[in-house]
Amino acid sequence: MIAEIIAVGSEMLTPHRQDTNSLFLTGGLNKLGVSVAFKTIVGDNFQHLVSAAGIAIRRADIVIFSGGLGPTEDDLTREAAAAALGIDMHRDPAVLESLRQRFAERRIAMPPNNEKQADVLDRAILLNNKTGSAPGQWLDTAIPGPEGHPHRKIVILLPGPPSELKPMFDAECRPRLSAVLPQRYIATRMLRMALIPESTVDARTAPIYQKFTDVETTILAGSGEIQLHFSTTKPSQKEAQARVDELAELIEREMGEDIFSAQGTSLEEVVQLMLGLRDLTLSTAESCTGGLLAERLTSIPNISRNFIGGAVVYSDALKTKFANVPPALLEQYGAISPEVARALADGIRDFTGSSIGIGITGLAGPAGPTSGPDAGRPVGLVYISLSDGEDTQVKQLQLPGDRERIRLWASQHALEMLRRHLQ
Ligand code: ATP
Ligand code: MG
C-alpha cells in the first residue's frame, strides 16, 4: 500500500510558507504501516490540480489532499478531485444547514460563497470538523488499472489549517484506515557511530543492507556522527523486530567497535555508562572548546558520580594555575602543542584527583596568532590528550570548517577518544 499526499496552496510554492501538514500525515501513515511514496505541492489552479490529482490517483492506493476546502474562489480541491475521478458532486443539505447555523450563531448571514463547502463527492463519507467549518471527505472507490481490473483507491480530502487537519486525521481517518488496511507492524533500529566518513560507512555496510530489500536503510550524517536507521513492516511486530535486529547484528559484526550505540543512546550517555561500570572519575581542562566538553557531559543526568568537573583554561596564566602547566613549557612549545595538551590532561587529573584527565588545546579561528610561540599555526589545529595515571595519549587533529564546527568536532573527538579508551 502506498500513499501520496497533495498539499494544495499557492503560498507553499513561495519562499515564505512551508507544507508541514504532509510531515504530520506521513508520521501518521507510517504508524499504520503505510509508506508515503510521493508528496506533491500544487498551487490553487484548477488545471494543475486536476493533473496532479489524476497522476496521484493512478499511482497511489491512498491519496490525501490537504487544503483548498475553504469557501473562496481559489479553494478548488473538491472540484479538482471530482474531475480527476470522473465523478459528480452533490450539495449536501445537512452540511449546508450546519454551515448556516455556524453563521447564525455569530449573527451574520452566510455569504453565498460558503455554500460550496457543502459540495460532497458522490458516495463520499463526510469527516467531522470539530475545529472549523469545512468537513473533510473520505471516498473508498475503485478505478480501472492499465489491465482493466478495478483497483481500490482511498481518496481523502482534509482542510488546510493544521489545527483542523490534525484532529480530523486522528479522529476520523486513523480508525477508518486501520479498518481497511491489512494489519502491519513497523519495527526500527538505529546504530550510531562517531567520526567515520559517511562514504566509508556506506562502502562497508551497503553490501550487507542491500541484501535486505524488505528493510529500508537510511544513513544520516552530521556533527561528527553517522546514524544508520533500519525500518521494516511485517504482519507481526515480532517478525518485523526480528528482521531489523538480524540486519543490525550483521552490520554490528562488520563495524565492530566503531559503533558506539546499538540502542539509541548518545555518545555522552555511553561514556557515562562506561565510567560508571568501571567506577572511574573524570575531569577536564579545556582551552579552545571553552567548556563545551564539560557542557555535553553535564547534559546527562546523574553524571556527577563520574564527572567531577572541569576548568576553562583559556589564558596561559590559568593553564598554569588550574592545570599546573609549567610556564616554561608554554613559552617553549606554545599553548597549541602536544606538550601543553599532555600537561593539561596530567595537570587537571593531579589537581582534581580524578582517575582520568582530558586536556584540549587548539586554534578555532577565524585567524591564528601572528606572534609568539604559536605564530603561523593553522586554524583547526587541535590537540586532545587523555591521561589515566599510567599513560598519557595525545591526538593531533586538523579540523576543517568555521569556529563553531571546529569546537564541536573537537569535543566530539574528545568524547570518542574517551569511549575508545574505556572500551
Ligand atoms: P480555509 O477554510 O481556512 O480556507 P482550506 O482547507 O481552504 O481552509 P487553505 O486555504 O489551503 O485551507 O489553507 C488555510 C491555511 O492553512 C493556510 O493559510 C496555511 O496557514 C495553512 N495550511 C494550508 N496547507 C498547509 C500545509 N500543507 N502545511 C501547513 N499549513 C498549511
Ligand atoms: Mg482556503
Side-chain angles (χ1 to χ4, degrees):
M1 278 269 187
I2 59 164
E4 173 154 356
I5 297 168
I6 303 185
V8 182
S10 299
E11 73 276 14
M12 286 171 295
L13 295 171
T14 69
H16 312 299
R17 280 296 175 98
Q18 268 189 337
D19 155 38
T20 55
N21 282 345
S22 71
L23 304 181
F24 169 81
L25 293 171
T26 303
L29 289 166
N30 287 169
K31 278 206 195 102
L32 292 163
V34 178
S35 333
V36 173
F38 305 94
K39 292 206 277 185
T40 308
I41 300 178
V42 196
D44 302 300
N45 171 297
F46 183 73
Q47 284 311 328
H48 298 170
L49 267 166
V50 174
S51 151
I55 293 167
I57 289 160
R58 260 174 275 133
R59 68 187 174 183
D61 309 294
I62 299 170
V63 180
I64 304 186
F65 292 85
S66 135
L69 299 187
T72 61
E73 291 291 312
D74 62 2
D75 290 311
L76 296 162
T77 303
R78 282 173 291 260
E79 294 85 335
L85 286 159
I87 59 174
D88 289 328
M89 292 195 289
H90 58 275
R91 197 148 281 185
D92 188 289
V95 178
L96 209 51
E97 184 48 36
S98 86
L99 287 168
R100 286 220 172 86
Q101 236 160 33
R102 271 177 80 89
F103 279 92
E105 278 163 21
R106 294 182 208 147
R107 297 183 183 287
I108 34 180
M110 188 170 90
N113 278 352
N114 278 76
E115 287 184 11
K116 72 177 206 165
Q117 287 192 293
D119 287 347
V120 182
L121 301 173
D122 283 355
R123 296 198 308 110
I125 293 171
L126 288 167
L127 305 175
N128 188 19
N129 189 344
K130 286 206 187 83
T131 47
S133 61
Q137 302 190 26
W138 166 285
L139 181 66
D140 189 345
T141 185
I143 63 161
E147 72 301 318
H149 301 308
H151 285 247
R152 188 177 186 180
K153 304 284 170 177
I154 307 273
V155 179
I156 304 171
L157 316 188
L158 297 176
S163 60
E164 297 177 33
L165 174 134
K166 289 181 184 183
M168 189 182 289
F169 182 81
D170 286 338
E172 301 282 335
C173 302
R174 213 186 276 280
R176 286 189 171 85
L177 284 168
S178 303
V180 298
L181 291 168
Q183 279 284 20
R184 302 289 284 173
Y185 295 86
I186 292 188
T188 59
R189 274 292 294 274
M190 168 173 44
L191 298 175
R192 300 174 74 167
M193 287 159 262
L195 301 164
I196 309 171
E198 189 179 354
S199 51
T200 309
V201 173
D202 196 44
R204 287 175 60 185
T205 59
I208 305 169
Y209 71 67
Q210 276 166 357
K211 292 200 192 102
F212 285 64
T213 46
D214 54 337
V215 179
E216 197 176 335
T217 300
T218 317
I219 302 186
L220 297 178
S223 306
E225 182 175 326
I226 304 281
Q227 297 180 349
L228 276 174
H229 291 258
F230 311 117
S231 164
T232 196
T233 317
K234 297 278 173 204
S236 81
Q237 187 65 48
K238 205 171 147 201
E239 213 178 314
Q241 195 60 51
R243 190 66 175 151
V244 283
D245 288 347
E246 186 188 349
L247 174 55
E249 263 161 48
L250 290 174
I251 303 268
E252 276 187 85
R253 215 173 293 163
E254 167 61 30
M255 298 307 291
E257 289 191 353
D258 287 343
I259 292 170
F260 69 75
S261 162
Q263 302 298 339
T265 30
S266 69
L267 189 52
E268 293 87 335
E269 286 170 310
V270 170
V271 162
Q272 178 202 24
L273 221 70
M274 291 175 140
L275 287 168
L277 280 175
R278 306 221 151 92
D279 211 11
L280 296 172
T281 55
L282 171 72
S283 62
T284 53
E286 298 181 66
S287 187
C288 64
T289 45
L292 186 54
L293 176 58
E295 204 284 320
R296 290 182 62 180
L297 287 165
T298 52
S299 69
I300 308 302
N302 290 325
I303 201 160
S304 59
R305 272 180 236 145
N306 303 101
F307 178 61
I308 58 177
V312 178
V313 288
Y314 216 49
S315 66
D316 284 1
L318 282 202
K319 288 183 179 70
T320 302
K321 191 162 179 153
F322 289 152
N324 212 11
V325 179
L329 204 67
L330 287 156
E331 258 160 54
Q332 190 182 347
Y333 299 106
I336 302 150
S337 61
E339 289 80 5
V340 167
R342 190 183 290 270
L344 283 171
D346 287 336
I348 197 70
R349 188 180 157 276
D350 279 348
F351 186 72
T352 60
S354 62
S355 346
I356 295 173
I358 289 183
I360 305 179
T361 179
L363 205 51
T370 49
S371 62
D374 285 312
R377 287 185 177 152
V379 168
L381 177 64
V382 176
Y383 293 96
I384 301 175
S385 178
L386 189 154
S387 161
D388 68 356
E390 282 175 19
D391 182 35
T392 307
Q393 5 161 350
V394 184
K395 191 166 188 181
Q396 178 182 331
L397 308 168
Q398 183 58 56
L399 299 171
D402 62 8
R403 191 172 171 84
E404 198 185 342
R405 186 177 189 277
I406 290 169
R407 284 153 46 90
L408 181 66
W409 280 65
S411 71
Q412 185 77 349
H413 274 276
L415 284 172
E416 177 67 353
M417 190 171 173
L418 179 57
R419 178 186 76 89
R420 291 201 184 244
H421 177 79
L422 296 169
Q423 196 92 47

